[in-house]
Amino acid sequence: MPHFKLFMTLTGAALAALMVLMFITSLFEKRNNAAVKAAILILVCGAITMLPYLLDDTYKGLIIAFDSMVILAGLYLFIPSSFFKTDNEPIASGQIDERTIMFSRNELKPNTQHYQQYYQMHPEHLENDEQFRQLPGLLSPQATFYNPLSFRATDALFHIVDGLHQYVEGQAKDTSHSVTPDKYGQFIKQWARKSGAVSIGFTSLKDYHWYSVGGRGERYGKKIDKQHHTAIAFTVEMDHEMVAASPRSSIIMESANQYLQAGIIATQIAMFIRNCGFNARAHIDGNYQVVAPLVARDANLGEIGRMGLLMTPEHGPRVRIGVITTDMPLPVENRKYDSSYEDFCNKCLKCAINCPASAISDINKDIINGVERWQINSEKCFKYWCSAGTDCGRCMSTCPYSHPSNILHNMVRWSIRHFPNFRYWAVQMDDFFYGRKSTPAKLPKWLQTSN
Ligand code: SF4
Ligand code: SF4
């Protein structure tokens, strides 16, 4: 009997310690509701710790039942993923025409040749696109979440990103070199991390990584030339506080901020590679020739989640991606499919429930472009952006993978990846502490325009 009592006490103490960590983390993250719930659970777990010594031997059965339940639940929840069979993901086969994406369609002006050509090719898009053209639009003073400070700051940031476009391409220097692919790879990885990248990887380029036809600026209507064989993909983190207030104005300012950071890192690496005598092109906001999330996925930086964004092990979808394509020899690695994201997305659905435009599918994957995957309804999503004035990001902020990087959330993300049975429980816990349908956080104080 003393062993059973001790086990129950230790279980209670371990759970109480976990709740103390949850309480402190929630206070730091200003999640008051979660902190209150954690405080109540600290008391409950404290009571479990004391209970065995308050009960006499008449309650022996109760203590044994509790201990057995804890052991069985622990064994069930923490069966490692190697015990489960996972299917290999089929690879995409089709290429995307960049002219069909919403940013490209947004740039079409009525009564122009491109406008007429596009809607002759895609008459099914005309009615929808005329609707979003009637709305205020991104960064408009008439938009719902107009904020004079952050909208102007965002405009400034995008202006500087546009200024980087002149550096994305260039002539490779005529220079000799005697550096191994591994050394180049190591140097680029370290430098990118020092410059602010969170993760970085290399992959061989496939046809489906490239847009088939350009859809913006001077590339409009031109066939994309698949000029390089290798890609470098990296991610930069978006600030959690700025994302948490989405769809308010902080989200678009943070998007622009991180597009700029990704743009600086990508252009500096592309220029470095050209200085080493190899061809290279940076792919940055407004100037992509490749589908960045697919390149990043194949460079082993994450998997595509239900909301259609790259889900990374470090910050979930709360990242921006930069890509450089090149003919520099680099140590590319084969893609390792991680089924944990898809399995978790099948159980979670939080982005679909919280999307204000109902643009995210709440059913399992479809076959799209030759591959089984989720696709958001980009028309509905973009229409919402045009009335909000921001790039919304509600899906990103409510995703359980997006929580800040700290001991507690890193532990949960790690367990989600490695223990399949833990995933359902993780969704329940996330709902319990943060709500199934959550309300956006307030704008950070320094962005608020009224005192
Ligand atoms: S950005 Fe907003 S509107 Fe678009 S899919 Fe995400 S939650 Fe929905
Ligand atoms: S919110 Fe849930 S369902 Fe949506 S991408 Fe994140 S983990 Fe997947």
Side-chain angles (χ1 to χ4, degrees), residues 212-248:
S212 55
V213 178
R216 299 181 76 180
E218 289 175 1
R219 303 188 310 286
Y220 196 92
K222 292 186 187 148
K223 199 169 174 307
I224 299 285
D225 178 19
K226 297 170 220 153
Q227 40 187 332
H228 304 133
H229 53 66
T230 299
I232 303 162
F234 64 88
T235 60
V236 289
E237 182 187 358
M238 292 177 72
D239 179 79
H240 183 265
E241 194 186 21
M242 298 288 272
V243 171
S246 68
R248 303 186 212 280

Side-chain angles (χ1 to χ4, degrees), residues 354-357 359-360 376 381 384-385 391-395:
N354 283 279
C355 171
I360 302 177
I376 70 157
C381 171
Y384 183 77
W385 291 15
D391 55 349
C392 176
R394 201 73 206 110
C395 43

Side-chain angles (χ1 to χ4, degrees), residues 365-427:
K365 291 177 167 182
D366 274 340
I367 306 281
I368 298 158
N369 218 10
V371 69
E372 195 185 13
R373 65 182 172 101
W374 283 293
Q375 187 169 50
I376 70 157
N377 184 325
S378 51
E379 274 99 2
K380 282 187 182 177
C381 171
F382 194 73
K383 225 185 275 179
Y384 183 77
W385 291 15
C386 288
S387 48
T390 73
D391 55 349
C392 176
R394 201 73 206 110
C395 43
M396 184 189 287
S397 69
T398 53
C399 178
Y401 259 98
S402 283
H403 290 302
S405 192
N406 53 43
I407 300 177
L408 179 76
H409 297 309
N410 291 348
M411 215 158 62
V412 174
R413 275 186 285 255
W414 188 86
S415 302
I416 286 172
R417 287 186 70 203
H418 293 92
F419 305 114
N421 290 340
F422 176 80
R423 291 170 198 152
Y424 175 75
W425 190 77
V427 172

Side-chain angles (χ1 to χ4, degrees), residues 31-233:
R31 308 288 292 252
N32 295 343
N33 283 346
V36 170
K37 288 175 187 170
I40 293 169
L41 286 176
I42 292 171
L43 297 178
V44 174
C45 297
I48 294 173
T49 309
M50 313 284 288
L51 209 56
Y53 299 99
L54 298 175
L55 299 175
D56 58 29
D57 279 359
T58 337
Y59 294 94
K60 189 174 155 189
L62 190 74
I63 295 173
I64 293 174
F66 175 87
D67 288 354
S68 314
M69 217 174 64
V70 169
I71 292 168
L72 286 176
L75 287 175
Y76 175 76
L77 287 178
F78 296 103
I79 300 174
S81 47
S82 49
F83 277 74
F84 297 82
K85 185 184 170 300
T86 52
D87 296 329
N88 282 336
E89 193 213 24
I91 296 295
S93 56
Q95 280 183 278
I96 299 171
D97 180 340
E98 196 192 10
R99 290 173 297 182
T100 61
I101 68 165
M102 295 312 298
F103 287 114
S104 171
R105 283 151 66 181
N106 186 39
E107 286 174 9
L108 291 172
K109 299 274 171 285
N111 304 321
T112 61
Q113 199 189 3
H114 288 166
Y115 180 98
Q116 276 157 5
Q117 274 172 356
Y118 184 78
Y119 293 111
Q120 263 164 20
M121 261 192 314
H122 291 287
E124 74 280 11
H125 292 164
L126 183 62
E127 190 186 340
N128 171 81
D129 292 5
E130 286 310 317
Q131 285 171 13
F132 78 67
R133 287 194 181 93
Q134 307 303 316
L135 297 169
L138 286 169
L139 299 181
S140 163
Q142 282 76 44
T144 315
F145 296 108
Y146 172 66
N147 176 303
L149 296 181
S150 36
F151 274 28
R152 284 168 192 161
T154 305
D155 189 57
L157 289 160
F158 277 130
H159 194 74
I160 300 172
V161 176
D162 284 348
L164 290 175
H165 288 178
Q166 61 183 305
Y167 303 116
V168 299
E169 287 179 334
Q171 200 65 38
K173 290 237 167 94
D174 187 12
T175 172
S176 62
H177 46 84
S178 57
V179 180
T180 63
D182 279 348
K183 183 67 207 171
Y184 276 135
Q186 207 184 30
F187 179 88
I188 289 171
K189 281 189 174 181
Q190 283 297 114
W191 189 30
R193 288 204 176 98
K194 281 215 170 297
S195 306
V198 175
S199 59
I200 174 162
F202 309 125
T203 185
S204 300
L205 281 162
K206 318 274 185 324
D207 280 356
Y208 63 80
H209 290 138
W210 298 92
Y211 284 119
S212 55
V213 178
R216 299 181 76 180
E218 289 175 1
R219 303 188 310 286
Y220 196 92
K222 292 186 187 148
K223 199 169 174 307
I224 299 285
D225 178 19
K226 297 170 220 153
Q227 40 187 332
H228 304 133
H229 53 66
T230 299
I232 303 162

